[in-house]
Amino acid sequence: TKLKFTLDWRFEGPAAPFLLAKAKGYFAAEGLDVTIDAGAGSAGAFTRVATGAYDMGFTDFNALVEYDAKNPESKLQALYMVYNYTPAAVVTLKKSGITKPADLVGKTLAAPVFDAGRKAFPAFAKSNKFDPASVKWQTVDPAIRETLLAKGEVDGITGFSFTSVLNMEARGVKESDLSVMLYNDYGVELYGNAIIASPKFLAEKPKAVEGFLRAFNKALKESIANPDEAATYVKKQDALVDLALETRRLKMALNSVVVTPEAKANGLGSVTEERMRKSVAETVAAYDLKTTPDAKELFNPAFLPAKAERMVK
Amino acid sequence: MKKLSPKTISRLAPWLLTLFVLVCWEAICRGFSIPTYLMPAPSQIYTTGIELAGPIMEHATHTLLTTLAGFAVAVVVGAVLGMIVGSSPVIYKAVYPMLVGFNSVPKVAFVPVLVVWFGIGTVPAILTAFLISFFPVVVNVAAGLSTLEPELEDVLRSLGASRLDILRKVGLPRSMPFFFASLKVAITLAFVGSVMSETVASNVGVGYLMMSASSSMNMPLVFAGLIVIGIMGVIMYELFARLERRLTGWANRGQNAAH
Amino acid sequence: MKKLSPKTISRLAPWLLTLFVLVCWEAICRGFSIPTYLMPAPSQIYTTGIELAGPIMEHATHTLLTTLAGFAVAVVVGAVLGMIVGSSPVIYKAVYPMLVGFNSVPKVAFVPVLVVWFGIGTVPAILTAFLISFFPVVVNVAAGLSTLEPELEDVLRSLGASRLDILRKVGLPRSMPFFFASLKVAITLAFVGSVMSETVASNVGVGYLMMSASSSMNMPLVFAGLIVIGIMGVIMYELFARLERRLTGWANRGQNAAH
Amino acid sequence: MSFVEFENVSLRYSEGGPKAIEDVSLQIEEGEFVAVVGPSGCGKSTLMKLISGLKPPSEGYVYVNGRQVGGPLSIVGMAFQAANLLPWRTTLENVMLPMEIVEPYRGQLRARRKEFEEMAREQLKRVGLGGFEDKYPWELSGGMQQRASICRALIHKPRLLMLDEPFGALDAFTREELWCMLRDLWQQQPFTVILVTHDLREAVFLADTVYVMSKRPGRILVKRQIDLPRPRELEVTYTDAFSAHVHVLREAIGRVRES
Amino acid sequence: MSFVEFENVSLRYSEGGPKAIEDVSLQIEEGEFVAVVGPSGCGKSTLMKLISGLKPPSEGYVYVNGRQVGGPLSIVGMAFQAANLLPWRTTLENVMLPMEIVEPYRGQLRARRKEFEEMAREQLKRVGLGGFEDKYPWELSGGMQQRASICRALIHKPRLLMLDEPFGALDAFTREELWCMLRDLWQQQPFTVILVTHDLREAVFLADTVYVMSKRPGRILVKRQIDLPRPRELEVTYTDAFSAHVHVLREAIGRVRES
Ligand SMILES: Nc1ncnc2c1ncn2[C@@H]1O[C@H](COP(=O)(O)OP(=O)(O)OP(=O)(O)O)[C@@H](O)[C@H]1O
Ligand SMILES: Nc1ncnc2c1ncn2[C@@H]1O[C@H](COP(=O)(O)OP(=O)(O)OP(=O)(O)O)[C@@H](O)[C@H]1O
Ligand SMILES: [Mg+2]
Ligand SMILES: [Mg+2]
């Protein structure tokens, strides 16, 4: 079966499991002929799947919540929660004295308007009991937000933890000089990126979806076990990437948002009903959505591989 | 029914065409039920546009001013550079490859650099608008000058006119049709440049508006932004077209003659 | 020391200028110790470029082909549209505002739509290159035609030539200087368009390379990409310049004459 | 009905502007050789434009070949007052132009190009331009351009040949040579010729009928039959009958100018 | 040294090409009225370009006013063979052109514009173009354009007036009127005139010295002093002395052509 799959971003460390699964023939073993394309952001990837241009994709779960709230009749569903935590984080320089969320009051943060961290910031503020309106935002392109922080022109940024930390390092700021406030560490319940499928594909080729997830799950576990090897598949896909950098990125992603306590307890890819409800509610509040979608509509665990296969240490 | 005079027809034509395009667009959106988040129908865009007219206008004004500033610089710099390039074959040969190379490069790549140097906001947007739009002016002015009929040049040379005189009295008037053609291209590029820069780093402007609308999946608003830019572009064009008609009527004499 | 002939000077000039710019750039980067992540020095870019020459060339070839495809379509469509617009005042009036409006809009906004229809990769890139670069051709061809001297047109009209004949025998040759001027602008825009589209929706091409390099903080590679585009732009320009010299020598006769 | 017929024709170049010619009626038979003389600016060239269909009359009717003239006709060959050679074509290519437009040559051009080119070369040689076939118009002297333009008017053997001051830039000897060439062509196989000239000897030597036009607005004041026997040799210009004709016409123009 | 002096001057338009004029030596005194005649294409216009400094000689030396000519001089007024009026200027503006370039008028233009314009209108009226001041060149007939171009050459009272077939497109009467106008201007306050013409009567009536040039490559074959007493009235053209001069020149040209 042919299957078109879109990533949320470019071929980088976190995309390793997908590329590994393809390169090692795990997809082929399920009878799938998978094409993996790079994306240019969660929103774009999301649209690609929503419009049926792509059969499946790897995108931000919260975008799905927002989309579903605005298009209640959509049958778009998440099937495998890859990032158990949202990678969103507030990053500041330690020397600026901002070390806890409350220190952000009255400060200026830089991020693109579509940044997941920026959009979910009200949830972060609420969990930490300060007024989200008390910070000022500076809208910038992803490419320069870290530059602005490094130059001290803004007090902090929001972004994916693993991306921003590495970007800051490239700008000569060591990880030890940064304070990284991962949302989930500060009381936010949001989920991160999930694998989603277009309604049409889901309805017509359920077997293919199941096979895809099975293959992916296998690859993900392998990646967790041996991230160094997994990262080489990124290099194979795109000769230009810096292998060391992507390996680090992959490891950071796996450690901070994939292999979480919850994932260790319940297995990779799954969600708990309780947290899911809270998470959706948080999103609805933070994004200022008019309706609250049904959590059961949003995540469909039916295609997940057996729990035993998904367990990690 | 009265027959329409050719003048009325040509006055109505752009409106009719616009209407026609809008109707087709609406029909396609409805007919194929294209989802809103992909491509909203004009009616939806209109509703959203009216609803949010206030903020849209604010952002649009900002973008317009930025664009005009960048465009003005581009026209001046472009015309001067074009004159220099167009009147000396050696400079032409020397400068052109560099200019072409520079202009083949997407200007977005420079916006971060500009932002870091000039801070976020209007200055990088003006500079981007300038950088993106001066090239067509250079090319066309240079082309106009270098295709100047030597016979006309000789009229001035025979009077002992200086190179500057020749440029002013023959070169520039002769290049006007080229110059105005380039303005039409340049103004559209200036809009593209400033909007692009606004999407990269700004808290105001249509570029920002579109980014923020698209991040909250409000596609009708994104398209409303696009359409507002388009309309501003048309208005600017109309202004130049008037100026052009006054200044290059001589070159268009064939069109006006009653044949 | 031998004195250089004017011909040698004008052959060396572009190289000297390029060298000069590179030296300045290097000096500025070192002098102000501008950080690499902001603006790498040419020497760094060179090192990176040589190191990764293989993959860069692969991506560049892809971009070049994409660009040329889009550009070719743009030239054909632009020239045809320009002819239609330039030879009828009514169509001119009707179509121009719409075209200007459309071109004031950043084409990036359409890339996602194109992706949905055509998938990511080459087709949207070609289309973007086309969409962004056909307008200058239209404008210039139309300007060339509408400023055609009626005297020359009359030569053909007096022979009972059809409108098409007049277009072919007088209109088009007369518009060649305008047309070539527009090609210079269009090819640079075509590069911008395809690269832009590649940054948004592709797994290959210089645009993809630049995005991927910039997300892994490899700024010298980003700039190497930019420079490769620039060089390709210059090469394309050089080709047109040759063609232009053959086809519009008559218009540039003043430049070649030994006065 | 005559071959060319004017019925009370007037022409205004702009609506409400002054009349360039007024209330002109004339008949020209097929095969007639007509000369038109009159003071500078009286409307002779305008008359030519009306006959060839380049301009529609503001009032009255123009018939050529039994049909009302609604636009340019392909049976016409015209040498304009200014040579109007196309600058992007060599002399030979300029002369070949009618062959590319007018049937039946056009259809046979591909098959018989060599032959037609030979005809063109022959014609050029006859006006003294042998060896200049591959020169561009701006490489020719004024008189040479004029001669090339005469060749262009003749080459396709038009049924109606219109010459607007064709020999004005030529010295007396070359001029007389060309008179004889034209006379011979016409004598071999009569076609209709309308010749505008300021040289009364030329008019009398060549024409069957000479029309004298008044000052602006041009009207036909005198129509004079030249009854000198054919074929005429250059010697006829020294006869008294010839001088008498010239004298009468000269008187007539003198009166015209004073009125 | 004479006012204008040629020392063995040759000119090739292209390197290695044929000579347009060959080994011409001549002296023209200040205040002399010189006419140049010769067959079409013999190099008369070329000679004019050499004197006015529009072209440098390939061999030999050209001196004007005691200095070697290195480029165009501002003491020259030139009427080209083609009228070469600037199409974006009205007739009056075209005539005013030298006032905007040549000192001392240029410096005084702002203060005395009214006065200068009055001069230009006056001059236009004298050549019969009163009432056409605000027309554009393409609204004038061929002869009218030529007359406007004569005005442009005269308006700034040049010390060296060069006229290249200035009356070729005029009828006999207008022509004679302009002869007289030119004669009167010259008589009032002599300046140097070089007149190219094909009309031998014109040459003899106006000039002190007539040069006859050979076929290409042009050489000076005959230099004839016209010793008719000044001031000359039109009646002089009917005298035998006059006819004798014309006859001799005619013979000379006849020989030239046969050689
Ligand atoms: N395109 C035009 N627009 C407006 N007026 C024009 C145009 N062409 C000619 N005229 C006017 O029409 C009149 C007649 O012009 P025309 O060219 O027919 O004269 P002509 O007899 O050919 O003169 P000449 O012997 O000088 O060539 C002139 O007064 C001229 O100003
Ligand atoms: N720009 C040019 N390039 C090349 N050759 C030229 C150029 N101008 C003139 N010639 C050549 O030089 C010769 C003399 O030309 P010129 O114009 O001086 O003749 P002329 O005596 O003025 O003739 P006419 O009486 O026909 O105006 C001609 O053979 C012509 O072909
Ligand atoms: Mg005329
Ligand atoms: Mg000449």
Side-chain angles (χ1 to χ4, degrees), chain D residues 136-165:
Chain D
Y136 284 90
W138 72 87
E139 298 176 312
L140 302 182
S141 78
M144 290 160 121
Q145 289 178 20
Q146 209 175 26
R147 283 179 273 162
S149 134
I150 297 171
C151 293
R152 186 173 63 186
L154 284 172
I155 189 73
H156 58 297
K157 305 211 177 73
R159 278 177 65 198
L160 176 56
L161 177 65
M162 308 223 278
L163 302 171
D164 195 348
E165 303 187 26

Side-chain angles (χ1 to χ4, degrees), chain B residues 159, chain E residues 3 30 74-78 98 102 105 150-162 189-193:
Chain B
L159 291 167
Chain E
F3 188 59
E30 172 125 43
S74 61
I75 57 164
V76 167
M78 182 148 172
V102 178
Y105 302 99
I150 296 171
C151 292
R152 187 172 63 185
L154 284 173
I155 189 74
H156 59 297
K157 306 211 176 74
R159 278 178 64 197
L160 176 57
L161 176 65
M162 310 223 278
Q189 184 185 22
F191 45 93
T192 314
V193 185

